[in-house]
Structure formats: structure tokens, C-alpha cells
């Protein structure tokens, strides 16, 4: 019965892969006639080779994105339906006395095998980014970063799993409410402390070297009402050609961060437009709203998780060798439910995010009045990350946390003509 169920699920997954790939490879992406030849038309700022690459590269990336989450469900169900999760639990319970070691052992086995099963896909995308020149990362660096991120997420995961089962065992009927309360400081940590404490583990941060640019950025920050005067550059050009910058932290701890790729690839007025956009997020309190939004999402997710966990363990727990919600072997069910919930909520999250990003573009235009620099920086963004200016509707709906570059260029062009 469980094998049959798994076989059906696998079939469904393969059907989904075929359908989604077919849609993505055939979806129309041509621009409206009136924008042909204008600044939003990639043919005006990309070479024909770049155009072809951007289209192919984005297509493959889109297919990867749509398939990777459901692929995790295939893996989790594999652990469950074949009783592997139950076997892992028996193994760590035999080997270790203390619950924390049992959890560490279980999480290690689960993450290790998940990582191994994901490796071919990760490797393929690593190669692809090389072939298309989006990434400069050496294989050694890639492997080391994968090991680092495995270690960091392993430690975090052991902590989270330990917390989860401790709360479930202490309060079998109200655990989701306790977890909601605990999630508040954890979200605060990830939003405000992680960029300052965890990010430097992966990358080198140093004060911005270009003093004139630093002065201009700080002048801009002053106009945006951003306190403190720390401007950093991060050494990212070793690994990527994509451009990024952000402002985070609270009060005098606020830091303005630019990836060095931005310094290398953009002109000064373009950098200042991007920085004005980032400062817009800060000045419009987007982080605060993001925080409340996250807590709201966690509330819904935990409530559903509570009911779905009880329902699943009652229905198929015996088949899968899972003794109850408080059994360590139920972890793949927890991960499966959370992954499904996060996948189906992506369109909502991203619709909100697109609103924020648009508001930051408006803010930057009001600050800089420079639609010319804005258009050029968006065009560079498209070229450097080989992103598609006008992606298929479904891709935008599910995965785009920014308006498309087509929409952004059209907007600054229009808005700029009104400001003049
Ligand atoms: Zn933004």
C-alpha cells in the first residue's frame, strides 16, 4: 500500500515536471509592440548572444526552481514510505542514550542523505552558471562553501529540532502556540542579527575604500534619515557576477553594505540610484512590516502544521513506522508539511514583496530624479545576472519578489518624465 502510494506520487511528480517544463519552454515572453526598441527592450542593450543565453539560462533556472521544492517532497516521502525514517530513529536510539545526541544523529543522517540526493542537481546548476559566466566560483570554493553551509545548517537544525520535540513533548495539545511565541525572537535573530554575525562567516566585509563614494552614500543616507555611518563592501566578485546591496541593522548599528561587484560594474550615478532604492526599504520601514508579516505567516503555518501532523500520524503513522507527533521519526513529515506550505504561499509572499520593491523604486526616484541612471542600472542588472527582462507570467506570479525588469524600466521612464 505504501509502495503503491509512493509510486503514484512519483508518477504525479514526473507528470508535473513534464508539464511545467513544457509550459516554460513554450510560454510567450515577447514584449508589447510599443516598447520595442525602447530602453526596456533587451535587444537595445544586450548582444544577440547574451539575449539567447539569458533566455535559455532563465528557462533552465525557472524549471529548476519549479521542480526543486516538489523534489524535496519526493525525498521526504521516500524516507517515510520505505520506513527509512523509522530505521534511522531505531539506529540512533540504540547508539545514543541522551536525547540531544539522538537528535543530532538523526538530523545528520537525514540531512546527509538529502544532501547526497540533491547533489546531482546542485552540481548541474553550478556547471550551468559557469558555462554562462554568471559565476566565477572555483570548484574548491564551491565545495568548501557547501561544506560550510552544511555544517551551519546542521547545527541550526539540531537546535530547532531539539526545540520542536521538547515543546511537543511538554505540551502535546498546545505546542503550536508555544512555538509561535518562541518564533518571535528567532525571527528577530534571523532578520537583524544574522546579516551581522553569520554573513561574515561566508564572506569578507571591509569598510568601503572609495572615500568620495562613501561621502556621497553617507550624504544620501542623511537625507533618508539613516543614522550611523558604516559603509561596507563585501568581497563577492570571487564567486559571482550578480549585483547586490542592502541596508540593515537597528539604530546606530545600521550598516550600509555594497557587494564589490556593484563597485566594479556600475557607474557612480547608477550605484547611487541602487543605494537610494535600498535606503528606501529602510526609510519606509519595510523590515518592520516584513517582520510582522513573517510572524503572521508563522502563525498560520504552525496552526496548520499542528492539525496536519496529528491527522497524518493518525492516518498513516503505523504504515510509516511513526509512533506519534512526538516521535523523532516524524521529522520528515514536519519538513514535508512546512515545505508544501511555504511553496504554496510563495505567490502571496512575493506579491507583497513586489509591492515593497516598487515602493523603494518610487522612493529612489523621488530622491535622485535620475531615470537615466535608473534605467542603465536595471539594464546592467539584466546583463550581469542574465535575467530575463520579461519572464513568463507563471514565473513572475510564483517566484518574482521584484517587479520584472521590464516593469521597472517602464516605470522609471514614465515617472522620470513626470518629475522633470
Ligand atoms: Zn529592493
Amino acid at each position: 500500500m505504501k509502495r503503491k502510494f509512493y509510486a503514484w506520487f512519483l508518477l504525479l511528480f514526473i507528470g508535473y515536471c513534464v508539464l511545467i517544463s513544457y509550459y516554460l519552454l513554450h510560454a510567450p515572453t515577447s514584449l508589447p509592440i510599443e516598447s520595442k526598441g525602447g530602453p526596456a527592450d533587451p535587444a537595445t542593450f544586450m548582444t544577440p548572444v547574451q539575449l539567447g543565453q539569458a533566455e535559455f539560462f532563465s528557462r533552465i533556472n525557472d524549471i529548476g526552481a519549479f521542480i526543486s521544492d516538489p523534489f524535496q517532497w519526493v525525498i521526504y516521502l521516500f524516507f517515510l514510505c520505505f520506513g527509512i525514517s523509522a530505521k534511522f530513529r531505531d539506529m540512533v536510539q540504540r547508539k545514543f542514550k541522551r536525547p540531544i545526541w539522538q537528535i543530532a544523529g538523526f538530523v545528520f543522517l537525514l540531512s546527509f542523505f538529502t544532501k547526497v540526493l540533491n547533489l546531482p542537481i546542485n552540481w548541474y546548476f553550478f556547471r550551468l552558471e559557469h558555462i554562462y559566466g554568471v559565476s566565477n566560483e572555483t570548484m574548491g570554493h564551491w565545495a568548501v562553501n557547501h561544506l560550510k553551509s552544511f555544517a551551519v545548517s546542521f547545527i541550526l537544525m539540531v537546535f530547532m529540532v531539539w526545540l520542536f520535540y521538547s515543546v511537543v513533548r511538554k505540551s502535546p495539545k498546545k505546542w503550536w502556540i508555544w512555538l509561535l511565541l518562541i518564533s518571535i525572537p528567532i525571527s528577530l535573530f534571523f532578520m537583524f542579527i544574522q546579516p551581522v554575525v553569520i554573513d561574515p562567516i561566508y564572506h569578507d566585509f571591509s569598510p568601503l575604500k572609495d572615500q568620495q563614494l562613501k561621502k556621497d552614500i553617507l550624504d544620501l543616507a542623511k537625507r533618508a534619515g539613516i543614522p550611523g555611518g558604516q559603509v561596507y563592501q563585501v568581497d563577492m566578485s570571487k564567486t559571482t557576477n550578480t549585483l547586490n546591496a542592502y541596508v540593515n541593522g537597528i539604530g546606530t548599528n545600521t550598516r550600509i553594505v555594497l557587494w564589490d561587484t556593484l563597485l566594479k560594474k556600475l557607474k557612480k550615478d547608477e550605484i547611487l540610484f541602487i543605494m537610494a532604492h535600498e535606503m528606501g526599504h529602510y526609510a519606509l520601514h519595510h523590515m518592520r512590516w516584513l517582520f510582522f508579516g513573517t510572524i503572521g505567516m508563522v502563525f498560520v503555518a504552525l496552526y496548520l502544521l499542528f492539525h496536519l501532523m496529528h491527522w497524518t500520524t493518525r492516518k498513516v503513522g503505523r504504515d510509516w513506522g511513526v509512533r506519534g507527533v512526538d516521535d523523532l521519526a516524524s521529522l520528515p513529515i514536519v519538513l514535508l508539511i512546512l515545505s508544501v506550505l511555504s511553496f504554496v504561499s510563495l505567490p502571496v509572499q512575493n506579491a507583497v514583496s513586489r509591492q515593497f520593491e516598487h515602493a523603494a523604486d518610487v522612493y529612489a526616484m523621488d530622491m535622485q530624479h535620475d531615470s537615466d541612471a535608473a534605467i542603465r542600472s536595471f539594464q546592467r542588472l539584466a546583463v550581469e545576472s542574465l535575467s530575463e527582462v520579461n519572464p513568463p507570467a507563471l514565473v513572475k506570479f510564483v517566484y518574482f519578489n521584484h517587479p520584472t525588469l521590464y516593469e521597472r524600466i517602464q516605470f522609471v521612464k514614465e515617472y522620470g518624465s513626470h518629475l522633470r
Side-chain angles (χ1 to χ4, degrees):
M1 142 73 193
K2 21 186 195 179
R3 302 221 164 153
K4 207 165 156 194
F5 168 76
Y6 193 73
W8 273 111
F9 185 79
L10 210 57
L11 216 61
L12 206 69
F13 172 71
I14 294 167
Y16 166 81
C17 292
V18 172
L19 271 180
I20 205 80
S21 308
Y22 182 85
Y23 164 77
L24 291 172
L25 293 172
H26 294 85
T29 51
S30 56
L31 296 176
I33 306 242
E34 66 273 16
S35 16
K36 285 259 156 72
D41 182 355
T44 62
F45 59 89
M46 279 180 169
T47 63
V49 175
Q50 282 173 334
L51 269 175
Q53 286 186 337
E55 188 166 340
F56 177 76
F57 182 72
S58 326
R59 241 351 67 77
I60 297 294
N61 261 333
D62 295 340
I63 294 175
F66 273 97
I67 286 176
S68 72
D69 281 313
F71 183 62
Q72 306 314 306
W73 311 342
V74 170
I75 295 177
Y76 294 140
L77 279 174
F78 174 73
F79 284 132
L80 291 164
C81 290
F82 292 90
I84 296 167
S85 188
K87 283 211 187 77
F88 283 171
R89 174 205 55 213
D90 294 343
M91 218 149 95
V92 296
Q93 283 181 347
R94 265 201 312 275
K95 200 117 190 98
F96 303 110
K97 280 254 147 7
R98 294 172 66 120
I100 185 74
W101 286 110
Q102 294 179 354
I103 289 174
F106 188 88
V107 168
F108 182 81
L109 288 171
L110 198 68
S111 343
F112 179 76
F113 284 103
T114 310
K115 190 92 189 159
V116 169
L117 290 169
N118 272 303
L119 214 53
I121 299 188
N122 289 337
W123 173 249
Y124 175 72
F125 279 98
F126 170 74
R127 290 296 307 150
L128 198 69
E129 291 193 345
H130 272 260
I131 293 166
Y132 285 91
V134 176
S135 165
N136 310 318
E137 204 174 8
T138 61
M139 208 177 102
H141 195 275
W142 179 79
V144 169
N145 257 1
H146 261 261
L147 278 178
K148 266 193 206 169
S149 84
F150 183 80
V152 171
S153 64
F154 170 71
I155 292 166
L156 277 177
M157 179 106 161
V158 170
F159 171 71
M160 301 276 219
V161 172
W162 168 80
L163 194 71
F164 177 80
Y165 286 103
S166 308
V167 176
V168 169
R169 282 165 198 165
K170 281 243 159 58
S171 174
K173 294 218 169 75
K174 292 204 180 80
W175 54 262
W176 73 277
I177 299 176
W178 292 112
L179 287 175
L180 177 66
L181 293 176
I182 296 169
S183 76
I184 296 173
I186 294 181
S187 307
L188 281 173
F189 172 85
F190 278 108
M191 247 170 226
F192 298 102
I193 298 175
Q194 190 222 15
V196 183
V197 180
I198 309 279
D199 280 358
I201 298 180
Y202 295 97
H203 309 292
D204 293 334
F205 282 66
S206 58
L208 181 62
K209 292 190 190 79
D210 183 337
Q211 292 305 315
Q212 182 57 44
L213 181 63
K214 182 177 168 187
K215 188 184 163 296
D216 291 337
I217 289 176
L218 287 175
D219 284 346
L220 203 62
K222 209 166 165 190
R223 280 164 59 207
I226 296 173
Q230 307 175 68
V231 187
Y232 292 90
Q233 63 186 67
V234 203
D235 186 12
M236 294 297 292
S237 52
K238 270 197 297 231
T239 53
T240 180
N241 285 328
T242 53
L243 312 171
N244 196 16
Y246 53 89
V247 179
N248 67 21
I250 313 172
T252 48
N253 272 325
T254 306
R255 38 166 71 194
I256 299 167
V257 180
L258 293 83
W259 285 11
D260 65 341
T261 44
L262 203 72
L263 303 169
K264 287 180 181 159
K265 307 261 159 120
L266 294 190
K267 297 206 182 84
K268 195 168 155 193
D269 58 348
E270 297 164 355
I271 295 179
L272 288 175
F273 175 80
I274 303 258
M275 295 324 288
H277 168 101
E278 300 305 331
M279 288 173 193
H281 285 306
Y282 184 94
L284 300 168
H285 307 298
H286 286 169
M287 281 298 266
R288 194 183 302 166
W289 289 113
L290 198 66
F291 172 72
F292 290 125
T294 306
I295 298 299
M297 300 278 275
V298 172
F299 173 86
V300 177
L302 283 171
Y303 177 80
L304 291 174
L305 180 69
F306 178 81
H307 289 284
L308 289 170
M309 278 304 285
H310 283 276
W311 183 82
T312 318
T313 46
R314 235 188 0 254
K315 284 273 177 201
V316 284
R318 191 189 290 267
D319 274 354
W320 291 351
V322 177
R323 294 172 192 138
V325 179
D326 61 352
D327 178 3
L328 197 52
S330 72
L331 184 60
I333 311 180
V334 179
L335 298 176
L336 174 68
I337 293 174
L338 290 179
S339 171
V340 172
L341 290 177
S342 101
F343 186 69
V344 297
S345 69
L346 271 179
V348 181
Q349 293 181 41
N350 284 332
V352 174
S353 172
R354 286 197 296 270
Q355 288 300 319
F356 282 180
E357 293 302 335
H358 177 67
D361 279 346
V362 175
Y363 186 91
M365 281 302 289
D366 289 340
M367 287 273 271
Q368 293 298 80
H369 288 219
D370 192 352
S371 55
D372 191 47
I375 289 170
R376 273 183 280 117
S377 60
F378 290 144
Q379 292 174 339
R380 273 257 70 86
L381 230 55
V383 173
E384 294 305 332
S385 47
L386 279 185
S387 29
E388 241 184 332
V389 171
N390 194 32
L394 187 66
V395 176
K396 181 193 154 186
F397 176 70
V398 178
Y399 284 106
F400 264 58
N401 50 13
H402 286 66
T404 64
L405 286 168
Y406 171 76
E407 292 166 332
R408 296 178 83 180
I409 292 175
Q410 286 295 88
F411 165 74
V412 293
K413 188 178 126 199
E414 286 273 306
Y415 197 70
S417 65
H418 291 305
L419 284 174
R420 250 178 233 132

